[in-house]
Amino acid sequence: MIVANETTSTISSSLTFSADELPKAEYFMDYVLGILMVFLTIIGVFANTSVVVLFTLPSRRKVHSRVTYLLRSLAVSDGTMALVGGTMYAVNCFYHKWVFGREGCVFHGVIMFWCGVTSIAHLAAIALERWYTMTHIQWSVANRDRVPKHIYAAQLACWVYGALWAVLPLTGLQRYTEEGRVSCSLDWFNPSPGYKAFNLTMLVTVFFIPGLIMLTTNIIIFKVVHRSLLENRRSRLLKTEKKLARSLMYIVVFYLLAWVPYGLASVWATVDAQSIPTTFLMLTGFFAKLSFTLNPLLYVGMNQTYRAELIQMSTQCCCINFQFLQKFLPNKETLSQNDDKTDASEELLDKDNEVTSQVRRLPNSESFSTKCSTL
């Protein structure tokens, strides 16, 4: 723990401990977090690499869409976080201190800050794309077979936005230093007004505004679907409304779980650096790193069509055919119904083809089935 009477100018430099100085509880916690991070890193690297391959191979073109371009770019960012951040974090946990030196600290800080901001920006972009698709049906139908330029622009903007924030600390506006015992990040403890202004500005623009975008757009999407369901009270469609509500809840809750604790810890350290425990910093940093595993599982793993394609691709690449995997694969009838579904919400908003074909004959219809078919 950080002693309350230490000055903030010496806090960041006092965060390097030897193993002998650690209480037994924290010594044990390092091993637990290290082991957990090893598993999360393996899962994160494999899952994100699989997503990139799935959305790149021409043979899997039937699952490609506007959103999958954003998901693939998100997977590149999350995979980099898993490979760099997860590996370095786990190694440091087993040594109970930062072992990669000053240059390694800066490298870790830049990569994690860059990819972290980029991933959050991608989540906001995906939410906006879903919202636009649901509220601009005619445009979505007209452009469902091509990738508009704004998708490429959104990917580039996310990466540039993340790079901008990652480079700014190198110019003297902030700096990268040790965060707890096993990680490196911004210097949250510096009492300089300039550092505090940078921290608060970054937290608002990088964490809270994207989170607000995700929450607002998901609420709008749910209201649009709910209003459409009122026009067609079929029992099957009522079930899809519940599935949609659960899916949107997962998106918001997982974002809050991964990033809000870290954001609150950052605000705490900025406002009152002397009172924040090192252990709390470590735990919030750990939860933030959960995002590189949660994102592919949430946005791809929960989609029946994507999941089926991913399992088939994996079994073909590894030359395996485990029977137990068959229970995760939809039957042929389900796959034929899902061939045109290219977004996670499409799978959750499963519709019957008869209603869809009838609705599509109505040019200005805003029925539930038409909205789902264009996501």
Side-chain angles (χ1 to χ4, degrees):
M1 307 288 280
I2 296 177
V3 181
N5 60 1
E6 286 183 288
T7 62
T8 55
S9 61
T10 61
I11 289 178
S12 60
S13 62
S14 67
L15 293 177
T16 301
F17 301 90
S18 67
D20 295 336
E21 296 174 348
L22 288 177
K24 290 184 177 180
E26 296 188 20
Y27 190 89
F28 176 75
M29 186 186 71
D30 285 353
Y31 280 120
V32 173
L33 293 180
I35 294 172
L36 290 175
M37 186 55 65
V38 169
F39 285 105
L40 290 175
T41 299
I42 294 173
I43 295 173
V45 171
F46 174 78
N48 286 290
T49 302
S50 300
V51 170
V52 173
V53 174
L54 174 66
F55 293 148
T56 302
L57 289 178
S59 60
R60 306 291 170 176
R61 191 175 298 277
K62 66 179 180 179
V63 296
H64 296 178
S65 71
R66 294 188 299 271
V67 172
T68 59
Y69 281 81
L70 293 172
L71 289 173
R72 181 177 60 186
S73 184
L74 172 65
V76 172
S77 177
D78 287 339
T80 304
M81 288 179 65
L83 185 62
V84 176
T87 302
M88 297 179 77
Y89 187 97
V91 170
N92 291 321
C93 281
F94 295 128
Y95 280 95
H96 310 286
K97 63 179 181 179
W98 182 262
V99 298
F100 295 101
R102 174 61 187 168
E103 293 76 11
C105 181
V106 174
F107 172 76
H108 178 274
V110 169
I111 294 298
M112 296 304 291
F113 195 20
W114 182 13
C115 293
V117 174
T118 299
S119 293
I120 293 175
H122 274 89
L123 296 180
I126 292 171
L128 289 172
E129 170 63 22
R130 286 174 164 173
W131 162 79
Y132 194 85
T133 298
M134 288 292 289
T135 55
H136 297 77
I137 303 303
Q138 300 302 322
W139 175 90
S140 183
V141 171
N143 293 276
R144 65 176 302 168
D145 295 326
R146 70 183 185 89
V147 181
K149 293 182 180 180
H150 77 265
I151 296 295
Y152 298 108
Q155 293 180 72
L156 179 61
C158 290
W159 284 99
V160 171
Y161 184 66
L164 176 64
W165 278 107
V167 169
L168 284 177
L170 301 178
T171 64
L173 295 176
Q174 245 281 9
R175 69 167 185 153
Y176 293 106
T177 187
E178 293 180 32
E179 180 185 60
R181 294 186 299 275
V182 297
S183 184
C184 276
S185 184
L186 299 176
D187 186 359
W188 303 110
F189 304 101
N190 196 301
S192 169
Y195 277 38
K196 290 186 176 183
F198 180 93
N199 295 344
L200 295 177
T201 302
M202 184 273 297
L203 289 169
V204 171
T205 57
V206 169
F207 290 107
F208 298 126
I209 290 180
L212 183 62
I213 290 174
M214 293 175 60
L215 179 62
T216 303
T217 53
N218 285 329
I219 290 176
I220 293 174
I221 290 172
F222 181 76
K223 287 185 176 180
V224 169
V225 175
H226 179 74
R227 185 170 61 250
S228 299
L229 285 173
L230 293 177
E231 303 172 3
N232 192 347
R233 283 291 179 182
R234 300 181 61 169
S235 59
R236 184 178 181 182
L237 296 181
L238 291 177
K239 293 180 180 179
T240 64
E241 184 180 17
K242 296 179 181 180
K243 291 182 179 180
L244 174 65
R246 186 165 59 248
S247 174
L248 300 182
M249 180 188 69
Y250 288 157
I251 292 173
V252 175
V253 169
F254 284 167
Y255 177 84
L256 297 178
L257 174 66
W259 290 109
V260 167
Y262 188 77
L264 293 177
S266 303
V267 173
W268 184 359
T270 300
V271 175
D272 187 10
Q274 294 183 351
S275 63
I276 186 168
T278 304
T279 302
F280 183 70
L281 276 178
M282 290 180 59
L283 290 175
T284 56
F286 177 85
F287 279 108
K289 290 177 175 62
L290 285 176
S291 62
F292 60 64
T293 300
L294 292 177
N295 287 336
L297 296 180
L298 175 63
Y299 286 87
V300 178
M302 290 180 61
N303 183 302
Q304 188 176 15
T305 303
Y306 294 166
R307 188 171 63 248
E309 290 292 327
L310 195 59
I311 293 175
Q312 290 177 352
M313 182 187 68
S314 300
T315 54
Q316 291 173 3
C317 292
C318 300
C319 299
I320 57 176
N321 187 20
F322 296 124
Q323 292 183 353
F324 74 90
L325 290 176
Q326 299 301 319
K327 65 181 180 180
F328 298 104
L329 297 173
N331 54 39
K332 293 182 179 180
E333 181 181 356
T334 304
L335 282 175
S336 64
Q337 294 174 351
N338 289 336
D339 277 344
D340 293 332
K341 297 181 180 180
T342 55
D343 183 85
S345 57
E346 294 174 29
E347 186 267 312
L348 293 171
L349 299 176
D350 194 16
K351 61 191 182 299
D352 60 59
N353 294 328
E354 181 181 356
V355 174
T356 302
S357 61
Q358 293 175 358
V359 171
R360 284 180 178 174
R361 297 191 186 99
L362 303 177
N364 296 319
S365 175
E366 294 186 2
S367 71
F368 169 75
S369 298
T370 304
K371 288 179 169 56
C372 296
S373 68
T374 60
L375 275 176

